[in-house]
Amino acid sequence: MISLKDIKKSYVLPKVTVEVLKGIDLEVAEKELVAIMGPSGSGKSTLLHIIGCLDRPTSGTYILHDLDVSLKTDNELAEIRNREIGFVFQSFNLLPRFPAWKNIELPLLYSGVLAKERKQRAMEMLRKVGLSHRAEHYPNELSGGEQQRAAIARALINEPAIILADEPTGNLDSRSGREIIDIFRGLNKEGVTIVLVTHEKEIAEQAARIITIRDGVCQDGCY
Amino acid sequence: MDVIEIIKVSKDSLMSNKVRSFLTMLGVIIGVAAVILLVSIGEGARTYIHRELGNLGTNILIVVPGKTSAKGGFHPPEASTVRKLIYDDALLIKRRAKHVDDAVPLMFGSAKVKYLNQSRDNSIAGSTETYFSIRNLKVDSGRFITGSEVDAKRKVCILGRTVKRDLFGDKNALGALVSIGDSKYRVVGVMEKKGVTLGIDFDDIVFIPTTAAQELFDTDRLFNITIKVKSASELHEATEEVKQILIKRHAGKEDFTVMSQDEMLGVMNKILNIMTAVLAGIAAISLVVGGIGIMNIMLVSVRERTREIGIRKALGAKNSDILLQFLVESMTLSLIGGTGGILFAGTVSFIIPYFIEFLPTQLELWSIVLAFLFSAAVGIFFGVYPARKASLYDPITALRYE
Ligand SMILES: Nc1ncnc2c1ncn2[C@@H]1O[C@H](COP(=O)(O)OP(=O)(O)O)[C@@H](O)[C@H]1O
Ligand SMILES: [Mg+2]
């Protein structure tokens, strides 16, 4: 369902042009759980952003659900992010001025769901990640693990086929980290495709496949 | 996208920075209030002048010596070349002009008015018997001058309220003899309270017959001839008639001016319109300055919320969603400011007349609507740039922003 061919990404800086991805070929099948590993600065996040339609590659083709993403307009990409993909960040990226349930309903706001249903579904998602009792809490009143679970609930609320997680356990203690990974595994069993960036070996080993990126090229696991 | 939600979000973000939001709105509040207030004062002044002139009688023409133009302002008559207006001019107008009801030869000057040991320097008006009815003046007790008193140069007088109070206190003034200049005058009437009308304090005047005033001031030069025209529709004909009659008497020269109250009103209206427009224009500039304040704060807000914009975009917000979000926010600022300005202006214009008696205010619906629409336009105009800037943020760059 995800198919990258010769994906390159470079950033043009005032003095130099930095080539971050130097031609990545990658296939991820439906319902797969894939881990991406690699040293810091090797281009993992950049790759995940491209898969998540948050960024466009400089060259190469990206086919998502048999459709060429490079042909899509910005608005169409926004729609794909909204409906097809759930993104989980290392730093949670919750809006500090909103309580947990308001954060979680955000994607529904952009798919035109009415207020009543939004709240109802947000509450459902909170239950699913075990945060029902924290619905009215603001992000700064939640522990790191709780914040990340809220962020996962937000990623899940539009029932996307793909979850992309960029070092989701990077800011968490090992116990909370394990809880998060358990949630991902549960989701994967339900049939959600998951791409997980991590540099913790034991977490990566939970995945069916480990992809290793080094210096912007795929070293292992890319087929 | 859910408009109610957008409004809620902008309310939240404005409330999370109450002082800043208020200060930003203050610019708009002041601008809108200034526009509405200045228009309301201008309109109030206009109504005031209309009412006051109406109070002083309608269908009135005034003939003054010297050629002046009601449109070009008033010039002092040049004594050497201008023939004075005299008593007989008024008599002739009254007798000859078909469209004229009455013509009062009016004299004006000042003299010492004395009763027992009380005395004051006072304005003295010499008039004939019909002046009070023409000018809507009334006596409180006694009566006004009669025709026969005018013809017989009788030394009688009518006192204004203030004059009466100063000279007589609570005592009865009717029938008493007061000295005006060197002569004794019998008080035959006391005026009803009239107050200050168009800058003239009618309570501070003593009325005597014109014939007596000629003697008192030792001149036959009239202050003006006040003419009552039969009806409003005859004002123009009456003016022409009066001119013809006087030109003939003045050896073919038009060395006098016939003014109608309408003409004076027209001139004042013109001045007021220009003043109102200029002042409202200046106030509108302050509204624009308020708009610049909004733009400034919105730019700060967009920058502060860069990360939020990135998050929203990552979750599927389109550029238009972000644009709308910030536009609604700047419009909320300007519309709340506008509403505040309207309320403020309403309150102030309600209060002003209590403190400044001669400054009636009149809230004009059109100025309220205009100021409100203008503030909405300001909100959109000055909100578009920051909102557009926000909407064009690249999601990844915005997410990386610290
Ligand atoms: N917007 C950008 N402008 C310039 N350089 C960037 C930008 N984004 C990422 N990079 C660079 O690309 C490289 C890879 O970044 P990233 O994908 O975040 O690595 P990783 O997630 O594997 O640590 C880094 O050297 C980083 O500095
Ligand atoms: Mg990274």
Side-chain angles (χ1 to χ4, degrees), chain A residues 44-46 90 166-167 197:
Chain A
K44 307 183 294 295
S45 295
T46 308
Q90 178 177 358
D166 193 355
E167 305 196 34
V197 170

Side-chain angles (χ1 to χ4, degrees), chain B residues 231-288:
Chain B
S231 74
S233 57
E234 289 164 275
L235 273 170
H236 188 71
E237 290 94 327
T239 308
E240 285 311 307
E241 251 181 351
V242 169
K243 274 187 187 166
Q244 293 317 315
I245 291 166
L246 287 180
I247 286 172
K248 209 178 269 173
R249 267 182 73 81
H250 289 194
K253 268 176 74 185
E254 192 176 337
D255 52 2
F256 56 87
T257 307
V258 184
M259 287 183 295
S260 78
Q261 226 144 261
D262 288 337
E263 256 176 318
M264 291 193 274
L265 259 184
V267 173
M268 288 193 203
N269 262 344
K270 227 188 214 166
I271 296 170
L272 272 174
N273 280 345
I274 293 170
M275 261 176 52
T276 308
V278 168
L279 289 176
I282 292 171
I285 290 174
S286 77
L287 196 46
V288 170

Side-chain angles (χ1 to χ4, degrees), chain A residues 11 13 18 20 39-47 166-167, chain B residues 400:
Chain A
Y11 291 103
L13 300 180
V18 190
V20 179
S40 179
S42 56
K44 307 183 294 295
S45 295
T46 308
L47 177 63
D166 193 355
E167 305 196 34
Chain B
R400 284 167 155 259

Side-chain angles (χ1 to χ4, degrees), chain A residues 140-175:
Chain A
N140 63 0
E141 300 163 353
L142 300 175
S143 74
E146 286 172 332
Q147 289 189 56
Q148 195 59 298
R149 277 190 275 156
I152 293 172
R154 181 179 67 185
L156 289 176
I157 197 157
N158 240 343
E159 294 166 354
I162 304 167
I163 293 279
L164 304 175
D166 193 355
E167 305 196 34
T169 60
N171 284 0
L172 303 179
D173 58 86
S174 54
R175 205 174 65 103

Side-chain angles (χ1 to χ4, degrees), chain A residues 30-182:
Chain A
E30 217 169 314
K31 298 179 182 168
E32 236 192 319
L33 172 53
V34 180
I36 300 179
M37 295 195 74
S40 179
S42 56
K44 307 183 294 295
S45 295
T46 308
L47 177 63
L48 208 61
H49 292 154
I50 288 171
I51 297 174
C53 298
L54 273 167
D55 211 350
R56 291 175 188 270
T58 312
S59 69
T61 47
Y62 170 20
I63 311 287
L64 176 68
H65 292 313
D66 304 324
L67 294 171
D68 190 342
V69 170
S70 60
L71 302 176
K72 304 267 178 198
T73 63
D74 284 354
N75 274 349
E76 285 167 334
L77 289 188
E79 230 160 85
I80 292 174
R81 292 197 294 271
N82 185 244
R83 292 168 194 277
E84 317 278 348
I85 294 166
F87 224 102
V88 179
F89 303 90
Q90 178 177 358
S91 51
F92 322 132
N93 276 339
L94 298 170
L95 298 182
R97 282 188 291 105
F98 294 85
W101 74 269
K102 272 277 188 195
N103 265 290
I104 290 165
E105 70 159 21
L106 271 178
L108 296 182
L109 192 61
Y110 298 113
S111 42
V113 177
L114 295 181
K116 209 175 143 212
E117 192 192 331
R118 286 205 303 267
K119 177 151 193 181
Q120 192 190 324
R121 281 170 65 178
M123 291 304 182
E124 241 167 70
M125 277 303 138
L126 277 165
R127 199 170 321 120
K128 188 163 180 172
V129 297
L131 276 183
S132 292
H133 58 302
R134 296 279 186 256
E136 295 293 344
H137 286 235
Y138 286 82
N140 63 0
E141 300 163 353
L142 300 175
S143 74
E146 286 172 332
Q147 289 189 56
Q148 195 59 298
R149 277 190 275 156
I152 293 172
R154 181 179 67 185
L156 289 176
I157 197 157
N158 240 343
E159 294 166 354
I162 304 167
I163 293 279
L164 304 175
D166 193 355
E167 305 196 34
T169 60
N171 284 0
L172 303 179
D173 58 86
S174 54
R175 205 174 65 103
S176 307
R178 262 196 307 280
E179 278 171 19
I180 298 301
I181 295 306
D182 287 344

